[in-house]
Amino acid sequence: VKSIIVGTAGHIDHGKTALVKALTGIDADRLEEEKRRGITIDLGFAHLELSGPGGEPLRFGFVDVPGHERFVRNMLAGVGGIDLVLLVIAADEGIKPQTREHFDICRLLSIQRGITVLTKSDLVDSDTLDVVRLEIGDFLRGSFLENSPIIPVSSLTGTGLEELKHELVLMADTTPSRNSAAITRLPIDRVFTMKGFGTVVTGTLIAGSIRKEDELELFPSHKRARVRGVQVHGTTADRASAGERTALNLAGVEKSELERGMVLASAGLLQTSPRIDVRLSLLPSAKPLKQGTRVHLHALTSEVIATIKLHDAKQLQPGTDAFAELNLSEALPLFPGDRFIIRQFSPVITIGGGVVLDAFPLKKVTKAARSEYLQDLASADPVKVLKARVARRGERGLSFQHAIAETGWREGIITSRLGSMKQEIVRAGDVLLTTAALKSLSSRITSAVRDFQKRNPLVHGIAPETLRESTDVDPRLFEFVVASLVGDKQLEMSNGHLHLPGRRVVMEDDEAESRSTIEQTFASAGLKVPALKDVVVGLKIDKARAQKIVTLLLRDKTLIKVSDDLVFHHSALASLRRQLQIQKAKSPKLDVASFKDLAGVSRKYAIPLLEYLDRERVTRRMGDERVIL
Ligand SMILES: Nc1nc2c(ncn2[C@@H]2O[C@H](COP(=O)(O)OP(=O)(O)O)[C@@H](O)[C@H]2O)c(=O)[nH]1
Ligand SMILES: [Mg+2]
């Protein structure tokens, strides 16, 4: 069933509540005080079913708001989720201050549809009615209601009500459905306990859907709550869909933990931040708005304090708009596209409003870069927005999880939008990357491999982890980029090492042979090593190439330099250490003579070896003796 939320707007006593009652039979003034004083203080709710043009059922949920200036904040909590507004103007009074303020609010919230209802038409003659119509025509010029009907009614006699219902049906037919596929958010407008039910909250479900047994996350407390039961427009239902007046019976939270302004949302998907970037509009009637001004901010059903930081000017002139960052007294679960209203501190009047562009503002960027970025976001073109968000992350990319939290789009929506952006955005596992960033990562990686090869002509390739560390590429992206480079034959992987394609191991046969000769010679010599220069002389290759090989063997610790002219194979030193450990069990002390015996070496080798062991903290010299550590 298509569901349309209708809100009332207008000055106090102009007949809003009477109109809702005349249409639905429901008295939305439910508080005792409201009945006694005859004024609406808080939000009231009613509903009505009508048949659409093709006979299909249409369900109207009415949110009746207070008109008194003192209760505009309650009005604001109700008007956020509405699809269309009934601007109520009493024929005998015409336009009054809250007619203007409520209408400003509707425009700032970007409400797209509505009907102007001239109530109390029974109290005036037709000439007066014509004058009021002219006055209203002027008032609405240039606004979203300019071309909408103005319908005189009387809630007392019933005049005009059928025509009004007819217009409601026509308008409902062209109202786009709200997005059930988006991340679920239910801004709470009422909390109460019901006998036999426990804790109940109500609100207009602005996006997504809620089923019985769903787990929801409560903002700002991040508490989890389980849905025990769902009601839509006062009737038990399996699920509530976007655009429906919804009541939930909750388990897992106490009534005292809930209040108007909190939001129930899909669990685990949202992140909140107290800083938001917005497009801010100042009403023509407001005073110029200075940098750093504190205001009341109303968004969804909540009210917080916001400090305004204008991005490009010191002051915002009435009737103009600008990019700004708002610093909120409490983080709200807002998404781009959400609307808000700002009200002055004193006197408390509506001075402006705007649209959320980003709840994760850029830090440390140039003015020009920020401005360009916010322009892209303000375009509200999903492709442009997604591209800008991914591009902003550069070579780090944008993770899916962040993409969801930043945009409020579910994964499926992002995936389908990516379908049309294959030229511009690639998906690397769980990370989104612009093709430009992929290109620059690829070239950084290939040139790192090239550099490595230049510096290490005798090594056949670089280990992937070494490459990753030296390039500092995000590990999730590194694997993807390397795999695609290997796939494109820009890199090759062999023996677990990466190298440029076609790289033959530069070590020629005689070099490889010399390397193995050197290694073998030292490995089999144990601690009785020959002089390095004697080994080198015996090789087939020239001295320079031999020196390179020795350097390489020293670098990978196959050979270990103990003194200027003594080099040992690492295995010989390792077995010496083992021998010393065994010796330690017998006696921890050792002099040079007993070391010579133990190692089986002459004094020429014993002294440099002991000094090496001291440096390595295997032994410590104490006078003429050594202690084995
Ligand atoms: N004569 C007449 N009185 C009306 C009409 N609609 C409302 N009223 C009266 O106007 C007063 C204010 O109406 P109410 O609906 O409470 O106004 P609200 O403050 O805009 O909700 C009440 O005394 C109503 O009986 C109407 O169409 N004709
Ligand atoms: Mg009322």
Side-chain angles (χ1 to χ4, degrees):
V1 183
K2 187 163 184 180
S3 175
I4 299 96
I5 306 293
V6 182
T8 58
H11 201 71
I12 183 162
D13 258 353
H14 276 204
K16 295 180 291 301
T17 305
L19 177 66
V20 170
K21 187 168 183 192
L23 285 169
T24 66
I26 297 169
D27 184 0
D29 278 351
R30 60 208 156 75
L31 303 177
E32 218 173 283
E33 189 186 354
E34 291 177 328
K35 299 242 190 271
R36 187 161 33 82
R37 293 171 61 186
I39 64 164
T40 309
I41 294 170
D42 205 349
L43 301 173
F45 302 95
H47 46 88
L48 174 68
E49 285 217 3
L50 294 173
S51 297
E56 76 284 0
L58 290 172
R59 202 187 276 146
F60 293 88
F62 287 84
V63 181
D64 183 36
V65 306
H68 194 290
E69 60 169 323
R70 277 186 45 211
F71 305 127
V72 172
R73 50 191 302 205
N74 291 343
M75 179 268 185
L76 280 161
V79 82
I82 71 175
D83 298 307
L84 76 90
V85 62
L86 295 180
L87 181 64
V88 170
I89 302 172
D92 62 337
E93 287 205 326
I95 291 154
K96 303 287 276 183
Q98 268 64 55
T99 318
R100 291 180 193 282
E101 184 166 20
H102 283 195
F103 187 56
D104 283 338
I105 288 168
C106 290
R107 281 190 298 173
L108 290 166
L109 291 175
S110 197
I111 291 165
Q112 301 289 319
R113 292 177 169 67
I115 299 168
T116 306
V117 187
L118 260 174
T119 48
K120 307 196 187 183
S121 65
D122 56 292
L123 294 183
V124 297
D125 57 27
S126 65
D127 285 348
T128 313
L129 208 57
D130 286 345
V131 172
V132 182
R133 268 180 184 277
L134 283 176
E135 184 199 12
I136 294 172
D138 277 347
F139 177 62
L140 301 179
R141 190 147 304 128
S143 78
F144 72 103
L145 286 185
E146 179 172 16
N147 298 311
S148 289
I150 300 174
I151 304 175
V153 305
S154 169
S155 303
L156 214 66
T157 66
T159 311
L161 290 179
E162 283 315 308
E163 193 190 344
L164 176 55
K165 283 183 187 174
H166 180 67
E167 286 298 340
L168 279 172
V169 166
L170 290 184
M171 218 162 259
D173 202 44
T174 61
T175 303
S177 296
R178 291 204 178 232
N179 194 348
S180 293
I183 288 177
T184 298
R185 280 186 303 163
L186 181 78
I188 295 173
D189 52 34
R190 273 188 304 168
V191 181
F192 49 90
T193 44
M194 233 165 108
K195 247 196 164 146
F197 278 105
T199 309
V200 176
V201 298
T202 70
T204 303
L205 186 56
I206 57 171
S209 62
I210 298 174
R211 285 170 195 282
K212 214 179 141 163
E213 297 305 327
D214 274 356
E215 191 193 31
L216 297 174
E217 184 172 351
L218 182 66
F219 289 88
S221 70
H222 295 279
K223 280 204 160 247
R224 301 290 172 108
R226 186 174 56 82
V227 177
R228 247 197 300 203
V230 180
Q231 281 199 348
V232 172
H233 296 282
T235 337
T236 303
D238 289 337
R239 83 174 212 165
S241 301
E244 292 178 333
R245 281 297 306 168
T246 304
L248 301 178
N249 176 211
L250 295 176
V253 278
E254 301 294 319
K255 181 175 176 249
S256 61
E257 297 174 302
L258 294 157
E259 62 183 30
R260 170 178 292 171
M262 292 181 171
V263 179
L264 282 164
S266 309
L269 292 181
L270 275 78
Q271 295 165 23
T272 55
S273 145
R275 294 168 62 228
I276 52 173
D277 267 337
V278 302
R279 186 79 191 171
L280 182 67
S281 309
L282 196 59
L283 286 172
S285 56
K287 284 193 240 137
L289 188 68
K290 291 199 190 70
Q291 191 71 275
T293 304
R294 279 153 56 89
V295 295
H296 296 284
L297 179 135
H298 297 258
L300 311 178
T301 55
S302 69
E303 179 188 350
V304 296
I305 292 166
T307 309
I308 292 168
K309 181 173 150 197
L310 298 164
H311 280 316
D312 304 315
K314 289 213 165 59
Q315 189 161 300
L316 183 58
Q317 295 305 323
T320 66
D321 53 348
F323 292 128
E325 182 188 301
L326 305 183
N327 233 303
L328 309 183
S329 56
E330 188 155 40
L332 299 176
L334 294 174
F335 284 131
D338 284 343
R339 303 276 166 170
F340 63 89
I341 295 293
I342 58 169
R343 305 189 81 211
Q344 187 170 280
F345 255 79
S346 149
V348 187
I349 49 165
T350 303
I351 54 170
V355 60
V356 175
L357 297 176
D358 197 7
F360 300 86
L362 297 176
K363 285 175 202 155
K364 294 189 198 130
V365 285
T366 63
K367 264 194 172 154
R370 173 184 288 116
S371 170
E372 194 182 328
Y373 181 60
L374 292 178
Q375 299 280 2
D376 280 344
L377 299 190
S379 76
D381 169 351
V383 170
K384 233 186 207 173
V385 166
L386 195 56
K387 198 178 157 198
R389 289 189 179 279
V390 175
R392 154 192 171 186
R393 302 289 181 136
E395 289 187 352
R396 300 256 147 204
L398 176 68
S399 73
F400 245 85
Q401 195 195 347
H402 274 113
I404 292 167
E406 284 186 15
T407 58
W409 304 335
R410 281 190 180 278
E411 181 162 0
I413 296 175
I414 297 176
T415 311
S416 77
R417 288 193 172 144
L418 286 173
S420 64
M421 303 170 72
K422 289 206 176 96
Q423 301 299 315
E424 294 135 296
I425 291 180
V426 285
R427 183 171 180 172
D430 231 20
V431 181
L432 303 176
L433 204 60
T434 60
T435 34
L438 175 64
K439 231 187 204 158
S440 102
L441 278 177
S442 303
S443 84
R444 266 203 315 121
I445 288 175
T446 38
S447 47
V449 173
R450 189 172 303 116
D451 285 354
F452 177 86
Q453 291 187 177
K454 239 180 238 157
R455 276 182 285 111
N456 302 276
L458 303 180
V459 179
H460 121 112
I462 181 169
E465 190 47 32
T466 316
L467 177 61
R468 197 201 69 71
E469 273 169 18
S470 72
T471 51
D472 192 30
V473 176
D474 185 312
R476 293 170 302 179
L477 288 175
F478 180 79
E479 250 177 65
F480 174 85
V481 178
V482 165
S484 71
L485 285 170
V486 170
D488 290 349
K489 304 220 178 324
Q490 308 231 41
L491 287 183
E492 264 175 27
M493 171 85 109
S494 53
N495 298 328
H497 285 67
L498 287 162
H499 51 86
L500 296 179
R503 173 175 168 95
R504 298 288 151 257
V505 180
V506 169
M507 200 177 280
E508 289 158 26
D509 282 351
D510 49 359
E511 280 182 358
E513 193 188 315
S514 302
R515 180 188 160 112
S516 112
T517 309
I518 299 172
E519 201 188 331
Q520 287 304 316
T521 309
F522 282 92
S524 56
L527 291 174
K528 297 192 191 98
V529 289
L532 186 56
K533 60 179 194 309
D534 294 339
V535 180
V536 167
V537 166
L539 299 174
K540 283 189 218 156
I541 55 175
D542 63 50
K543 230 177 121 181
R545 284 159 81 203
Q547 191 51 53
K548 262 198 301 196
I549 295 172
V550 170
T551 307
L552 219 65
L553 287 166
L554 287 169
R555 188 187 298 163
D556 69 14
K557 298 199 168 50
T558 306
L559 296 183
I560 290 161
K561 203 173 198 142
V562 163
S563 71
D564 275 349
D565 43 24
L566 275 183
V567 168
F568 293 83
H569 195 265
H570 71 91
S571 61
L573 292 174
S575 77
L576 175 61
R577 284 172 189 242
R578 279 195 300 277
Q579 270 178 291
L580 283 166
Q581 285 311 309
I582 295 165
Q583 176 63 28
K584 183 182 169 185
K586 294 181 207 154
S587 151
K589 286 191 179 160
L590 199 70
D591 57 16
V592 176
S594 49
F595 178 73
K596 276 166 58 186
D597 288 344
L598 181 82
V601 293
S602 67
R603 188 176 178 86
K604 188 178 102 187
Y605 288 17
I607 299 299
L609 275 172
L610 278 169
E611 281 167 359
Y612 163 79
L613 292 168
D614 290 344
R615 283 199 302 277
E616 292 284 300
R617 301 188 193 290
V618 178
T619 54
R620 190 194 303 134
R621 183 170 183 168
M622 295 183 76
D624 286 342
E625 288 189 326
R626 248 91 183 174
V627 180
I628 306 171
L629 298 174

